[in-house]
Amino acid sequence: MNTVIDTLVTGLPLAPAFLGVFLVLRIRADFDLTVEGSFALGGAVTAVALLAGLPGWPALAAGAMSGAVAGLRTALLNLVLRIPVLMAGLVMSMALFTVTLRVLGRPTVGLLGEETVFARVAAHPGRAADLGMSAVLLAVVAVVFAVFVAFLRTEIGLALRASGANARMVRSQGVNDSGLLVLSLMLANGLSALSGGLLAQVQGFADVTMSVGLFVAGAGAVLLGALLANPGGSQVVRMAVAVIVGCLLYRLILVCSLRLGLPAGDLRGVTALTFVLAISAQAHLAPALARYRLANRT
């Protein structure tokens, strides 16, 4: 039970960020490393806003907006300077480290005693506080994913999904693919920054290095979720379920690793190994699973 609670408390704050990784990686079929910098920036802006006296929810919104602005800058590097999204994201991720450090003023900022969104539930003793935080996080993640699924079913959302599958076809239909790129990067980085703000409030501090390895972790979780979760219903719902399953499975692996006595410094190695295994499983197991599912349906 303790393992499940720890997985929820540490895993659910990452779900919006992994959804942003999924948006860029699987829907847009591109790579945007800005999400790593946006995650830490969102946590930093949220923390500084809380210290300035802003309530928890507006501070969280400010953090998410900072990530969306970072995504906009990456899109402009691509559209104006013709820098590929991968390289533009790498440059922005490096630049955002400096920006985040400037926002914080020092490498780490504590939030002890601040009125976070979890302040009321965190006052409960023992595991009751963790259960309360899990309930709040579940509600936030449910709202975020519901809005995201509803958006993908709109006309703009359908165009965004089509642009990742065949950008030339979308342009031939008169759709502004550049505008879709801007929208997708702003959404992805806004979601990542939202996760950073949530995690900062959960753990009680914001750190300039809190986002290291996020993209690799998110990509591995997305691949694992897509491999293991294939419920019935619409494709959009399956996407959302895959992200949530992959996110919680990734955190479960890390929590179990710590409980087995693995040093915390080795967790990045576990993340890298998870990513490698996820890619290998996609290459070798996904075709077999697809044939098995198709045979069962027929």
Side-chain angles (χ1 to χ4, degrees):
M1 186 63 182
N2 289 336
T3 300
V4 173
I5 295 175
D6 289 342
T7 300
L8 291 175
V9 171
T10 60
L12 287 174
L14 300 178
F18 288 4
L19 185 62
V21 172
F22 178 84
L23 171 60
V24 176
L25 186 65
R26 298 302 293 264
I27 296 181
R28 279 292 300 186
D30 213 332
F31 294 88
D32 178 26
L33 298 177
T34 315
V35 292
E36 287 203 7
S38 296
F39 185 88
L41 178 64
V45 171
T46 300
V48 171
L50 285 168
L51 293 174
L54 205 63
W57 293 112
L60 194 61
M65 286 300 298
S66 70
V69 172
L72 174 61
R73 291 181 177 273
T74 301
L76 292 177
L77 286 177
N78 173 257
L79 298 174
V80 177
L81 301 181
R82 300 300 179 185
I83 300 175
V85 172
L86 176 60
M87 294 302 298
L90 178 60
V91 170
M92 278 301 301
S93 181
M94 295 173 62
L96 287 176
F97 181 89
T98 300
V99 174
T100 301
L101 190 57
R102 289 285 187 177
V103 170
L104 290 174
R106 52 187 183 272
T108 304
V109 169
L111 297 175
L112 185 63
E114 296 300 324
E115 193 68 20
T116 68
V117 297
F118 307 105
R120 293 184 180 180
V121 295
H124 297 296
R127 279 298 183 182
D130 291 335
L131 287 172
M133 292 173 68
S134 298
V136 174
L137 288 168
L138 279 171
V140 173
V141 170
V143 170
V144 170
F145 274 68
V147 172
F148 185 79
V149 167
F151 165 72
L152 288 184
R153 287 174 170 169
T154 64
E155 185 175 346
I156 297 178
L158 289 172
L160 182 61
R161 290 157 59 188
S163 68
N166 193 329
R168 181 176 297 179
M169 181 271 293
V170 169
R171 287 193 295 269
S172 68
Q173 298 298 317
V175 178
N176 186 356
D177 186 53
S178 298
L180 293 177
L181 173 66
V182 172
L183 177 61
S184 62
L185 294 186
M186 290 185 68
L187 281 176
N189 286 280
L191 288 169
S192 182
L194 175 65
S195 276
L198 284 172
L199 185 61
Q201 297 193 52
V202 166
Q203 62 189 11
F205 66 91
D207 187 86
V208 71
T209 62
M210 63 190 294
S211 63
V212 174
L214 177 77
F215 187 86
V216 172
V222 165
L223 293 174
L224 280 177
L227 182 67
L228 299 177
N230 188 31
S234 71
Q235 182 182 6
V236 175
V237 173
R238 290 201 299 269
M239 292 177 184
V241 172
V243 173
I244 294 175
V245 170
C247 175
L248 294 180
L249 180 60
Y250 161 72
R251 289 307 305 182
L252 178 62
I253 292 172
L254 296 188
V255 169
C256 290
S257 298
L258 288 174
R259 290 189 176 276
L260 291 174
L262 196 69
D266 292 344
L267 293 184
R268 292 186 186 177
V270 175
T271 298
L273 180 60
T274 302
F275 180 66
V276 171
L277 292 177
I279 293 178
S280 178
Q282 278 284 329
H284 296 90
L285 297 181
L289 286 174
R291 290 194 296 268
Y292 173 76
R293 289 163 178 163
L294 181 61
N296 284 345
R297 289 174 183 173
T298 57

PDB file of all heavy atoms in Angstrom, residues 41-73:
ATOM      1  N   LEU A  41      11.548  25.514 -15.180  1.00  0.00           N
ATOM      2  CA  LEU A  41      11.093  26.907 -15.186  1.00  0.00           C
ATOM      3  C   LEU A  41       9.720  27.031 -14.549  1.00  0.00           C
ATOM      4  O   LEU A  41       9.466  27.959 -13.766  1.00  0.00           O
ATOM      5  CB  LEU A  41      11.061  27.439 -16.619  1.00  0.00           C
ATOM      6  CG  LEU A  41      10.569  28.879 -16.790  1.00  0.00           C
ATOM      7  CD1 LEU A  41      11.515  29.851 -16.089  1.00  0.00           C
ATOM      8  CD2 LEU A  41      10.441  29.228 -18.269  1.00  0.00           C
ATOM      9  N   GLY A  42       8.821  26.121 -14.879  1.00  0.00           N
ATOM     10  CA  GLY A  42       7.487  26.145 -14.272  1.00  0.00           C
ATOM     11  C   GLY A  42       7.546  25.988 -12.767  1.00  0.00           C
ATOM     12  O   GLY A  42       6.821  26.673 -12.027  1.00  0.00           O
ATOM     13  N   GLY A  43       8.411  25.079 -12.295  1.00  0.00           N
ATOM     14  CA  GLY A  43       8.573  24.915 -10.852  1.00  0.00           C
ATOM     15  C   GLY A  43       9.137  26.163 -10.204  1.00  0.00           C
ATOM     16  O   GLY A  43       8.704  26.570  -9.117  1.00  0.00           O
ATOM     17  N   ALA A  44      10.111  26.795 -10.885  1.00  0.00           N
ATOM     18  CA  ALA A  44      10.735  28.003 -10.331  1.00  0.00           C
ATOM     19  C   ALA A  44       9.747  29.166 -10.266  1.00  0.00           C
ATOM     20  O   ALA A  44       9.653  29.862  -9.242  1.00  0.00           O
ATOM     21  CB  ALA A  44      11.947  28.383 -11.180  1.00  0.00           C
ATOM     22  N   VAL A  45       9.018  29.393 -11.355  1.00  0.00           N
ATOM     23  CA  VAL A  45       8.046  30.499 -11.380  1.00  0.00           C
ATOM     24  C   VAL A  45       6.952  30.273 -10.341  1.00  0.00           C
ATOM     25  O   VAL A  45       6.535  31.204  -9.636  1.00  0.00           O
ATOM     26  CB  VAL A  45       7.448  30.652 -12.790  1.00  0.00           C
ATOM     27  CG1 VAL A  45       6.286  31.643 -12.785  1.00  0.00           C
ATOM     28  CG2 VAL A  45       8.516  31.102 -13.781  1.00  0.00           C
ATOM     29  N   THR A  46       6.488  29.041 -10.215  1.00  0.00           N
ATOM     30  CA  THR A  46       5.471  28.727  -9.209  1.00  0.00           C
ATOM     31  C   THR A  46       5.992  29.000  -7.813  1.00  0.00           C
ATOM     32  O   THR A  46       5.295  29.602  -6.979  1.00  0.00           O
ATOM     33  CB  THR A  46       5.049  27.253  -9.327  1.00  0.00           C
ATOM     34  OG1 THR A  46       4.502  27.009 -10.633  1.00  0.00           O
ATOM     35  CG2 THR A  46       4.009  26.901  -8.284  1.00  0.00           C
ATOM     36  N   ALA A  47       7.222  28.579  -7.542  1.00  0.00           N
ATOM     37  CA  ALA A  47       7.804  28.779  -6.211  1.00  0.00           C
ATOM     38  C   ALA A  47       7.977  30.254  -5.891  1.00  0.00           C
ATOM     39  O   ALA A  47       7.614  30.723  -4.794  1.00  0.00           O
ATOM     40  CB  ALA A  47       9.149  28.059  -6.128  1.00  0.00           C
ATOM     41  N   VAL A  48       8.510  31.017  -6.831  1.00  0.00           N
ATOM     42  CA  VAL A  48       8.722  32.450  -6.602  1.00  0.00           C
ATOM     43  C   VAL A  48       7.386  33.173  -6.439  1.00  0.00           C
ATOM     44  O   VAL A  48       7.250  34.084  -5.607  1.00  0.00           O
ATOM     45  CB  VAL A  48       9.535  33.045  -7.768  1.00  0.00           C
ATOM     46  CG1 VAL A  48       9.585  34.565  -7.679  1.00  0.00           C
ATOM     47  CG2 VAL A  48      10.952  32.486  -7.767  1.00  0.00           C
ATOM     48  N   ALA A  49       6.382  32.764  -7.215  1.00  0.00           N
ATOM     49  CA  ALA A  49       5.056  33.378  -7.082  1.00  0.00           C
ATOM     50  C   ALA A  49       4.458  33.096  -5.707  1.00  0.00           C
ATOM     51  O   ALA A  49       3.836  33.974  -5.097  1.00  0.00           O
ATOM     52  CB  ALA A  49       4.132  32.864  -8.185  1.00  0.00           C
ATOM     53  N   LEU A  50       4.652  31.876  -5.199  1.00  0.00           N
ATOM     54  CA  LEU A  50       4.162  31.539  -3.863  1.00  0.00           C
ATOM     55  C   LEU A  50       4.869  32.371  -2.798  1.00  0.00           C
ATOM     56  O   LEU A  50       4.245  32.881  -1.862  1.00  0.00           O
ATOM     57  CB  LEU A  50       4.377  30.048  -3.590  1.00  0.00           C
ATOM     58  CG  LEU A  50       3.423  29.083  -4.283  1.00  0.00           C
ATOM     59  CD1 LEU A  50       3.921  27.648  -4.152  1.00  0.00           C
ATOM     60  CD2 LEU A  50       2.019  29.193  -3.699  1.00  0.00           C
ATOM     61  N   LEU A  51       6.182  32.515  -2.939  1.00  0.00           N
ATOM     62  CA  LEU A  51       6.944  33.308  -1.973  1.00  0.00           C
ATOM     63  C   LEU A  51       6.551  34.779  -2.017  1.00  0.00           C
ATOM     64  O   LEU A  51       6.685  35.499  -1.018  1.00  0.00           O
ATOM     65  CB  LEU A  51       8.443  33.153  -2.248  1.00  0.00           C
ATOM     66  CG  LEU A  51       9.026  31.757  -1.994  1.00  0.00           C
ATOM     67  CD1 LEU A  51      10.471  31.694  -2.447  1.00  0.00           C
ATOM     68  CD2 LEU A  51       8.923  31.387  -0.510  1.00  0.00           C
ATOM     69  N   ALA A  52       6.062  35.224  -3.185  1.00  0.00           N
ATOM     70  CA  ALA A  52       5.631  36.614  -3.322  1.00  0.00           C
ATOM     71  C   ALA A  52       4.223  36.839  -2.776  1.00  0.00           C
ATOM     72  O   ALA A  52       3.724  37.973  -2.794  1.00  0.00           O
ATOM     73  CB  ALA A  52       5.687  37.029  -4.784  1.00  0.00           C
ATOM     74  N   GLY A  53       3.564  35.772  -2.309  1.00  0.00           N
ATOM     75  CA  GLY A  53       2.249  35.910  -1.711  1.00  0.00           C
ATOM     76  C   GLY A  53       1.091  35.493  -2.588  1.00  0.00           C
ATOM     77  O   GLY A  53      -0.068  35.610  -2.180  1.00  0.00           O
ATOM     78  N   LEU A  54       1.373  34.994  -3.789  1.00  0.00           N
ATOM     79  CA  LEU A  54       0.295  34.556  -4.678  1.00  0.00           C
ATOM     80  C   LEU A  54      -0.248  33.207  -4.193  1.00  0.00           C
ATOM     81  O   LEU A  54       0.528  32.330  -3.801  1.00  0.00           O
ATOM     82  CB  LEU A  54       0.840  34.411  -6.105  1.00  0.00           C
ATOM     83  CG  LEU A  54      -0.150  34.547  -7.266  1.00  0.00           C
ATOM     84  CD1 LEU A  54      -0.760  35.937  -7.288  1.00  0.00           C
ATOM     85  CD2 LEU A  54       0.550  34.261  -8.594  1.00  0.00           C
ATOM     86  N   PRO A  55      -1.561  32.989  -4.214  1.00  0.00           N
ATOM     87  CA  PRO A  55      -2.121  31.703  -3.801  1.00  0.00           C
ATOM     88  C   PRO A  55      -1.654  30.563  -4.709  1.00  0.00           C
ATOM     89  O   PRO A  55      -1.134  30.785  -5.803  1.00  0.00           O
ATOM     90  CB  PRO A  55      -3.636  31.915  -3.923  1.00  0.00           C
ATOM     91  CG  PRO A  55      -3.817  33.395  -3.856  1.00  0.00           C
ATOM     92  CD  PRO A  55      -2.602  33.985  -4.501  1.00  0.00           C
ATOM     93  N   GLY A  56      -1.869  29.334  -4.237  1.00  0.00           N
ATOM     94  CA  GLY A  56      -1.333  28.164  -4.923  1.00  0.00           C
ATOM     95  C   GLY A  56      -1.784  27.992  -6.357  1.00  0.00           C
ATOM     96  O   GLY A  56      -0.963  27.755  -7.254  1.00  0.00           O
ATOM     97  N   TRP A  57      -3.091  28.143  -6.610  1.00  0.00           N
ATOM     98  CA  TRP A  57      -3.588  27.898  -7.959  1.00  0.00           C
ATOM     99  C   TRP A  57      -3.145  28.966  -8.951  1.00  0.00           C
ATOM    100  O   TRP A  57      -2.691  28.639 -10.050  1.00  0.00           O
ATOM    101  CB  TRP A  57      -5.108  27.771  -7.940  1.00  0.00           C
ATOM    102  CG  TRP A  57      -5.599  26.562  -7.215  1.00  0.00           C
ATOM    103  CD1 TRP A  57      -6.284  26.543  -6.032  1.00  0.00           C
ATOM    104  CD2 TRP A  57      -5.422  25.194  -7.586  1.00  0.00           C
ATOM    105  NE1 TRP A  57      -6.543  25.253  -5.657  1.00  0.00           N
ATOM    106  CE2 TRP A  57      -6.046  24.402  -6.591  1.00  0.00           C
ATOM    107  CE3 TRP A  57      -4.811  24.556  -8.661  1.00  0.00           C
ATOM    108  CZ2 TRP A  57      -6.054  23.008  -6.630  1.00  0.00           C
ATOM    109  CZ3 TRP A  57      -4.827  23.168  -8.715  1.00  0.00           C
ATOM    110  CH2 TRP A  57      -5.431  22.409  -7.720  1.00  0.00           C
ATOM    111  N   PRO A  58      -3.237  30.263  -8.628  1.00  0.00           N
ATOM    112  CA  PRO A  58      -2.698  31.267  -9.553  1.00  0.00           C
ATOM    113  C   PRO A  58      -1.194  31.111  -9.773  1.00  0.00           C
ATOM    114  O   PRO A  58      -0.699  31.360 -10.881  1.00  0.00           O
ATOM    115  CB  PRO A  58      -3.029  32.595  -8.863  1.00  0.00           C
ATOM    116  CG  PRO A  58      -4.205  32.291  -8.010  1.00  0.00           C
ATOM    117  CD  PRO A  58      -3.983  30.898  -7.523  1.00  0.00           C
ATOM    118  N   ALA A  59      -0.457  30.729  -8.738  1.00  0.00           N
ATOM    119  CA  ALA A  59       0.981  30.505  -8.899  1.00  0.00           C
ATOM    120  C   ALA A  59       1.238  29.364  -9.864  1.00  0.00           C
ATOM    121  O   ALA A  59       2.162  29.420 -10.702  1.00  0.00           O
ATOM    122  CB  ALA A  59       1.611  30.210  -7.537  1.00  0.00           C
ATOM    123  N   LEU A  60       0.408  28.326  -9.777  1.00  0.00           N
ATOM    124  CA  LEU A  60       0.539  27.198 -10.691  1.00  0.00           C
ATOM    125  C   LEU A  60       0.232  27.622 -12.122  1.00  0.00           C
ATOM    126  O   LEU A  60       0.928  27.201 -13.072  1.00  0.00           O
ATOM    127  CB  LEU A  60      -0.422  26.081 -10.253  1.00  0.00           C
ATOM    128  CG  LEU A  60      -0.230  24.690 -10.866  1.00  0.00           C
ATOM    129  CD1 LEU A  60       1.146  24.142 -10.528  1.00  0.00           C
ATOM    130  CD2 LEU A  60      -1.316  23.753 -10.361  1.00  0.00           C
ATOM    131  N   ALA A  61      -0.778  28.461 -12.292  1.00  0.00           N
ATOM    132  CA  ALA A  61      -1.118  28.967 -13.627  1.00  0.00           C
ATOM    133  C   ALA A  61       0.012  29.824 -14.189  1.00  0.00           C
ATOM    134  O   ALA A  61       0.335  29.743 -15.392  1.00  0.00           O
ATOM    135  CB  ALA A  61      -2.405  29.777 -13.563  1.00  0.00           C
ATOM    136  N   ALA A  62       0.648  30.625 -13.335  1.00  0.00           N
ATOM    137  CA  ALA A  62       1.777  31.444 -13.787  1.00  0.00           C
ATOM    138  C   ALA A  62       2.932  30.557 -14.251  1.00  0.00           C
ATOM    139  O   ALA A  62       3.592  30.843 -15.258  1.00  0.00           O
ATOM    140  CB  ALA A  62       2.232  32.371 -12.658  1.00  0.00           C
ATOM    141  N   GLY A  63       3.182  29.477 -13.526  1.00  0.00           N
ATOM    142  CA  GLY A  63       4.233  28.549 -13.929  1.00  0.00           C
ATOM    143  C   GLY A  63       3.935  27.912 -15.273  1.00  0.00           C
ATOM    144  O   GLY A  63       4.832  27.790 -16.125  1.00  0.00           O
ATOM    145  N   ALA A  64       2.678  27.509 -15.486  1.00  0.00           N
ATOM    146  CA  ALA A  64       2.303  26.900 -16.769  1.00  0.00           C
ATOM    147  C   ALA A  64       2.453  27.892 -17.919  1.00  0.00           C
ATOM    148  O   ALA A  64       2.915  27.535 -19.010  1.00  0.00           O
ATOM    149  CB  ALA A  64       0.860  26.387 -16.691  1.00  0.00           C
ATOM    150  N   MET A  65       2.098  29.148 -17.681  1.00  0.00           N
ATOM    151  CA  MET A  65       2.229  30.170 -18.722  1.00  0.00           C
ATOM    152  C   MET A  65       3.687  30.412 -19.092  1.00  0.00           C
ATOM    153  O   MET A  65       4.017  30.645 -20.262  1.00  0.00           O
ATOM    154  CB  MET A  65       1.586  31.469 -18.253  1.00  0.00           C
ATOM    155  CG  MET A  65       0.071  31.450 -18.243  1.00  0.00           C
ATOM    156  SD  MET A  65      -0.614  31.137 -19.895  1.00  0.00           S
ATOM    157  CE  MET A  65       0.007  32.565 -20.782  1.00  0.00           C
ATOM    158  N   SER A  66       4.581  30.327 -18.116  1.00  0.00           N
ATOM    159  CA  SER A  66       6.000  30.516 -18.416  1.00  0.00           C
ATOM    160  C   SER A  66       6.503  29.423 -19.353  1.00  0.00           C
ATOM    161  O   SER A  66       7.314  29.677 -20.251  1.00  0.00           O
ATOM    162  CB  SER A  66       6.811  30.521 -17.119  1.00  0.00           C
ATOM    163  OG  SER A  66       6.852  29.235 -16.511  1.00  0.00           O
ATOM    164  N   GLY A  67       6.020  28.210 -19.173  1.00  0.00           N
ATOM    165  CA  GLY A  67       6.402  27.126 -20.073  1.00  0.00           C
ATOM    166  C   GLY A  67       5.854  27.332 -21.469  1.00  0.00           C
ATOM    167  O   GLY A  67       6.535  27.044 -22.465  1.00  0.00           O
ATOM    168  N   ALA A  68       4.616  27.826 -21.568  1.00  0.00           N
ATOM    169  CA  ALA A  68       4.036  28.088 -22.884  1.00  0.00           C
ATOM    170  C   ALA A  68       4.837  29.143 -23.637  1.00  0.00           C
ATOM    171  O   ALA A  68       5.051  29.031 -24.852  1.00  0.00           O
ATOM    172  CB  ALA A  68       2.582  28.538 -22.728  1.00  0.00           C
ATOM    173  N   VAL A  69       5.316  30.162 -22.912  1.00  0.00           N
ATOM    174  CA  VAL A  69       6.148  31.196 -23.546  1.00  0.00           C
ATOM    175  C   VAL A  69       7.468  30.586 -24.035  1.00  0.00           C
ATOM    176  O   VAL A  69       7.958  30.933 -25.117  1.00  0.00           O
ATOM    177  CB  VAL A  69       6.407  32.348 -22.556  1.00  0.00           C
ATOM    178  CG1 VAL A  69       7.433  33.328 -23.125  1.00  0.00           C
ATOM    179  CG2 VAL A  69       5.108  33.072 -22.241  1.00  0.00           C
ATOM    180  N   ALA A  70       8.039  29.675 -23.252  1.00  0.00           N
ATOM    181  CA  ALA A  70       9.270  29.000 -23.679  1.00  0.00           C
ATOM    182  C   ALA A  70       9.026  28.191 -24.949  1.00  0.00           C
ATOM    183  O   ALA A  70       9.865  28.178 -25.868  1.00  0.00           O
ATOM    184  CB  ALA A  70       9.783  28.100 -22.562  1.00  0.00           C
ATOM    185  N   GLY A  71       7.883  27.507 -25.027  1.00  0.00           N
ATOM    186  CA  GLY A  71       7.551  26.769 -26.239  1.00  0.00           C
ATOM    187  C   GLY A  71       7.377  27.674 -27.436  1.00  0.00           C
ATOM    188  O   GLY A  71       7.776  27.334 -28.559  1.00  0.00           O
ATOM    189  N   LEU A  72       6.794  28.857 -27.206  1.00  0.00           N
ATOM    190  CA  LEU A  72       6.645  29.832 -28.284  1.00  0.00           C
ATOM    191  C   LEU A  72       8.007  30.269 -28.812  1.00  0.00           C
ATOM    192  O   LEU A  72       8.200  30.417 -30.027  1.00  0.00           O
ATOM    193  CB  LEU A  72       5.857  31.041 -27.773  1.00  0.00           C
ATOM    194  CG  LEU A  72       5.734  32.233 -28.724  1.00  0.00           C
ATOM    195  CD1 LEU A  72       5.004  31.829 -30.008  1.00  0.00           C
ATOM    196  CD2 LEU A  72       5.016  33.393 -28.036  1.00  0.00           C
ATOM    197  N   ARG A  73       8.956  30.482 -27.929  1.00  0.00           N
ATOM    198  CA  ARG A  73      10.298  30.894 -28.355  1.00  0.00           C
ATOM    199  C   ARG A  73      10.970  29.804 -29.185  1.00  0.00           C
ATOM    200  O   ARG A  73      11.656  30.097 -30.171  1.00  0.00           O
ATOM    201  CB  ARG A  73      11.143  31.247 -27.133  1.00  0.00           C
ATOM    202  CG  ARG A  73      10.689  32.518 -26.439  1.00  0.00           C
ATOM    203  CD  ARG A  73      11.575  32.842 -25.242  1.00  0.00           C
ATOM    204  NE  ARG A  73      11.183  34.096 -24.606  1.00  0.00           N
ATOM    205  CZ  ARG A  73      11.613  35.284 -24.972  1.00  0.00           C
ATOM    206  NH1 ARG A  73      12.465  35.400 -25.989  1.00  0.00           N
ATOM    207  NH2 ARG A  73      11.222  36.375 -24.350  1.00  0.00           N
TER     208      ARG A  73
END
